[in-house]
Amino acid sequence: MSFHGIEYSPEMVANATTVADDGMPSIFNFPGGNPMLFYIAPDEPLRNEYVHKITNYGGVIADTEPRPSNQIILLSSYHLGHRLAYKFLFVDDSIEQGAVQNLDNYRFGYEGEADDATNHAYEAIKAVGSSPGRTVRNGRITHRFNKVKDDYILKQVRMHPKYRNSHKFFDDLANHPQLEGHTGNSIRSRFRTHLEPKLDWVYKTASDGSLIKDEHGQLIRDTLDNLPKTLKNRFTAEEDYELCQAIVDFNRARFFGAADEHGIVRDETGKPKEFDLYGQLTVPISFFSTLAKTNPMHTPNSWRDRYRKFVSRYGAKKYIDYYDKVTASGGVPEPIKGDSPSTAKAIKQLIGLNYRKDTQSALDEEISQLKSSNIDLAIIAQSQIAPEPLVKFIDRGATLESLISNAFFQVPQEEVEPRITEILESCSQDDISVLIEKLKATGFEPNFTAHIVMATNGDVAKMQEYVHEFLQRMNTQAIADPYELAQISRNGIWTPETDAMLCSGNPADIKRLQQTHDHDEIKRRGNFLKLIGVSVP
DNA sequence: GAGCACACCCACACACCAC
DNA sequence: GGTGGTGTGTGGGTGTGCT
């Protein structure tokens, strides 16, 4: 039996401990995949441990003692006098490095020349050690990382710490011959999952990412405490708070800058105007340049984008309220998030399940769903079921009692809004039915909650805005017509009338809408209406 | 079944451009 | 200069198939 010039005697192979195919990397292989043979004396105290290690990594334990005619490597924990033996450390180091090491470095003090057979084996070992670490199994090529490649990746990251998360950086690394065969994704993944914990230092770099050298031209090691920031930096809750504060302050200064000698600001008709902290607060572009000077962690463009896409949607004062409330209770506030997918999903789910122009059919469907999901509960509950809310506006002629129950008036007035805000925020990850139930407990009837969801596209921030405005109206206006009281029209909050304008497609109507709603909100409303089956041009 | 290599996803930070 | 639109690719993952 002959493989690539290495003679395996029938005796050797028959008695050999076979290679375990347990998914471990094949380290102790000759080029071509043939396993290396090792001999460990039966009385060797470390025999079991190293048999396990060697076979786990692709080697074979032969029962035949090494002879000049075979290429079996004798391993021992001590010097065997005249016999050529190698230390177990060879096995450990090869496994740790992920590739066969130079066997010569592990030889016990043997004075003579290795015979031809051993030299042959060693040459093969050297070849394996310098291979790129490619493993061929069942005709499939995989590229394994090893110590050399890992060190190279770590070195590159240490030299470019600013780019340590960059996809592009790792894509570029994939073109380096040292990492041939690996994709950028693969190298990036290797770094993130295995190597990042080992990155205990980096080379010192300037803010532009260039390496800094000492007076001898040597690169300077730096601790991770001084790790440069990456290309993009997530906005923190503190930064959002700072931005919101700055926006509120700017608007307040601008508003009261227009006050008369009595400190009163008046509208075009001469009526005193109030500073609406919860309204749409705007800032000029120069605001962001100024902000970036005092808060250089983000560029003016980034601050502006943050405002455009998050703060203006959520509401600056609303976030300040949220932040203060959470920190006051010892919690950790979260940065402003975009539309929560779970909320959007929940709304979609609700709309998909419940929205029908025909109230009765929707109700029938809900009851049948209840029955199918939990028939006992459904039967018990059925007698108590009032018509379940749909995502729809309240009807003209709605009474105050149909919107708000007695439970509402049991809650101290100053606690109503905080309580509702808390419910809205806590339900952002839940199904809408949970929201309906919770709001019902505070006195909001299900059809009123459905109205609020309909008016706000189910957007939590807008729902808070709606509730704030509604409660203010309750406190300050005579409630002649509850229907009118509930019609709130402002940016991102809709009424049947504004919907009709949007659906008309009439340019004059759209122009009128644009006086109240910004482009994003109009687009969002169009998508929402389409979702619930309303035709929008 | 676990570990690994690799593919793929998605929100959003940052930038740039046109008007 | 202000504003809206949009492209790029980072940051932070999850999914999949192989060993």
Side-chain angles (χ1 to χ4, degrees):
Chain A
M1 186 184 277
S2 171
F3 298 103
H4 303 282
I6 302 167
E7 294 297 324
Y8 289 113
S9 71
E11 172 198 12
M12 285 155 52
V13 176
N15 294 332
T17 304
T18 51
V19 182
D21 188 15
D22 60 358
M24 304 297 276
S26 292
I27 293 171
F28 300 113
N29 274 0
F30 288 109
N34 295 312
M36 291 163 61
L37 295 172
F38 296 88
Y39 178 81
I40 304 174
D43 58 349
E44 166 59 52
L46 299 175
R47 190 175 197 278
N48 286 346
E49 179 186 341
Y50 280 89
V51 164
H52 186 69
K53 285 184 179 176
I54 289 166
T55 54
N56 264 353
Y57 287 89
V60 167
I61 303 298
D63 287 339
T64 304
E65 292 202 27
R67 289 194 302 265
S69 61
N70 61 37
Q71 285 84 35
I72 299 173
I73 299 160
L74 174 61
L75 294 172
S76 175
S77 55
Y78 44 86
H79 198 315
L80 295 173
H82 66 284
R83 299 183 69 187
L84 177 61
Y86 297 91
K87 300 169 186 171
F88 284 116
L89 190 60
F90 164 75
V91 175
D92 293 322
D93 284 357
S94 296
I95 292 171
E96 192 190 325
Q97 308 282 328
V100 173
Q101 301 299 294
N102 184 343
L103 189 63
D104 214 22
N105 295 338
Y106 301 88
R107 189 168 54 168
F108 282 103
Y110 179 66
E111 298 302 323
E113 288 293 318
D115 58 62
D116 284 344
T118 308
N119 277 339
H120 186 159
Y122 177 54
E123 285 309 310
I125 289 166
K126 280 200 292 191
V128 171
S130 63
S131 78
R134 188 177 59 183
T135 305
V136 182
R137 283 193 179 180
N138 302 326
R140 186 180 180 276
I141 299 172
T142 58
H143 298 87
R144 292 250 155 205
F145 287 100
N146 56 33
K147 181 76 165 57
V148 176
K149 291 177 182 178
D150 285 351
D151 284 348
Y152 186 76
I153 297 166
L154 276 171
K155 183 183 168 191
Q156 290 299 317
V157 173
R158 285 184 173 125
M159 291 170 74
H160 308 92
K162 186 184 172 78
Y163 301 96
R164 62 190 177 277
N165 287 329
S166 160
H167 290 238
K168 201 167 182 301
F169 169 68
F170 288 101
D171 283 344
D172 290 344
L173 271 192
N175 294 324
H176 291 206
Q178 292 86 340
L179 297 168
E180 193 184 350
H182 295 279
T183 63
N185 268 325
S186 169
I187 300 166
R188 183 169 179 265
S189 168
R190 177 72 182 176
F191 174 70
R192 284 165 59 83
T193 54
H194 295 92
L195 305 179
E196 200 159 19
K198 297 180 185 169
L199 187 79
D200 41 5
W201 58 272
V202 294
Y203 288 112
K204 200 168 187 172
T205 51
S207 57
D208 63 353
S210 60
L211 288 158
I212 298 173
K213 294 180 177 174
D214 65 15
E215 64 270 25
H216 308 295
Q218 299 293 310
L219 295 173
I220 304 164
R221 285 190 180 201
D222 209 349
T223 66
L224 297 189
D225 295 338
N226 299 320
L227 205 56
K229 64 175 190 175
T230 51
L231 297 173
K232 292 181 181 178
N233 296 281
R234 302 255 144 185
F235 279 88
T236 63
E238 289 69 34
E239 287 164 0
D240 277 341
Y241 184 75
E242 205 148 328
L243 175 60
C244 291
Q245 280 286 15
I247 289 167
V248 168
D249 291 347
F250 181 92
N251 278 273
R252 186 182 281 116
R254 186 169 57 186
F255 181 86
F256 290 107
D260 62 17
E261 66 274 17
H262 307 294
I264 296 171
V265 182
R266 298 177 189 280
D267 64 15
E268 311 78 53
T269 62
K271 272 171 59 181
K273 241 171 46 173
E274 292 220 351
F275 177 49
D276 184 7
L277 268 171
Y278 293 89
Q280 191 71 12
L281 304 179
T282 60
V283 286
I285 200 161
S286 56
F287 169 88
F288 301 105
S289 306
T290 312
L291 189 67
K293 276 179 193 153
T294 50
N295 300 279
M297 60 291 260
H298 298 283
T299 63
N301 273 333
S302 302
W303 282 113
R304 176 177 171 244
D305 218 38
R306 189 70 184 167
Y307 161 73
R308 282 200 300 173
K309 292 175 182 164
F310 297 90
V311 174
S312 68
R313 290 248 322 109
Y314 189 94
K317 180 66 173 91
K318 203 146 284 176
Y319 185 71
I320 291 169
D321 292 347
Y322 157 77
Y323 186 97
D324 287 341
K325 194 179 90 186
V326 173
T327 47
S329 62
V332 180
E334 288 191 14
I336 302 173
K337 294 270 195 308
D339 287 337
S340 158
S342 55
T343 307
K345 197 174 156 192
I347 298 282
K348 201 171 173 181
Q349 190 180 3
L350 174 76
I351 293 162
L353 291 174
N354 296 348
Y355 185 79
R356 300 285 189 284
K357 285 180 179 153
D358 174 1
T359 304
Q360 192 53 49
S361 67
L363 177 61
D364 290 347
E365 185 174 324
E366 282 182 353
I367 292 171
S368 74
Q369 279 168 0
L370 274 172
K371 281 179 177 170
S372 62
S373 60
N374 189 329
I375 195 158
D376 291 333
L377 283 176
I379 290 167
I380 294 164
Q382 207 164 343
S383 60
Q384 302 162 2
I385 290 176
E388 285 291 323
L390 307 173
V391 181
K392 66 190 281 278
F393 289 121
I394 55 167
D395 295 326
R396 255 186 202 287
T399 61
L400 191 60
E401 293 73 34
S402 69
L403 306 182
I404 289 167
S405 71
N406 279 338
F408 176 85
F409 300 99
Q410 310 294 321
V411 182
Q413 201 180 327
E414 66 279 6
E415 284 181 26
V416 172
E417 192 176 346
R419 200 175 285 193
I420 290 170
T421 300
E422 198 177 331
I423 290 169
L424 289 172
E425 282 171 356
S426 72
C427 287
S428 66
Q429 305 295 316
D430 293 327
D431 191 279
I432 289 297
S433 56
V434 178
L435 174 70
I436 286 169
E437 277 312 305
K438 287 191 176 175
L439 284 182
K440 198 174 174 183
T442 66
F444 274 35
E445 292 290 4
N447 61 330
F448 187 38
T449 301
H451 172 88
I452 298 171
V453 171
M454 181 69 183
T456 58
N457 302 332
D459 181 293
V460 171
K462 291 293 172 192
M463 284 195 265
Q464 289 178 27
E465 206 174 316
Y466 180 98
V467 169
H468 174 79
E469 173 70 19
F470 181 80
L471 295 176
Q472 272 204 335
R473 288 184 179 192
M474 287 264 294
N475 288 334
T476 56
Q477 295 181 18
I479 309 171
D481 183 353
Y483 174 84
E484 284 304 327
L485 192 75
Q487 304 309 313
I488 295 170
S489 178
R490 56 200 299 176
N491 188 31
I493 302 180
W494 299 77
T495 64
E497 192 190 346
T498 53
D499 272 356
M501 287 162 71
L502 181 60
C503 294
S504 76
N506 183 333
D509 282 344
I510 301 298
K511 207 166 181 180
R512 274 180 63 203
L513 273 183
Q514 286 169 340
Q515 290 170 4
T516 320
H517 302 274
D518 64 31
H519 177 269
D520 279 352
E521 291 298 349
I522 292 173
K523 205 169 153 188
R524 192 168 288 117
R525 186 61 175 181
N527 291 335
F528 179 85
L529 292 178
K530 278 177 195 162
L531 250 178
I532 61 174
V534 176
S535 172
V536 183

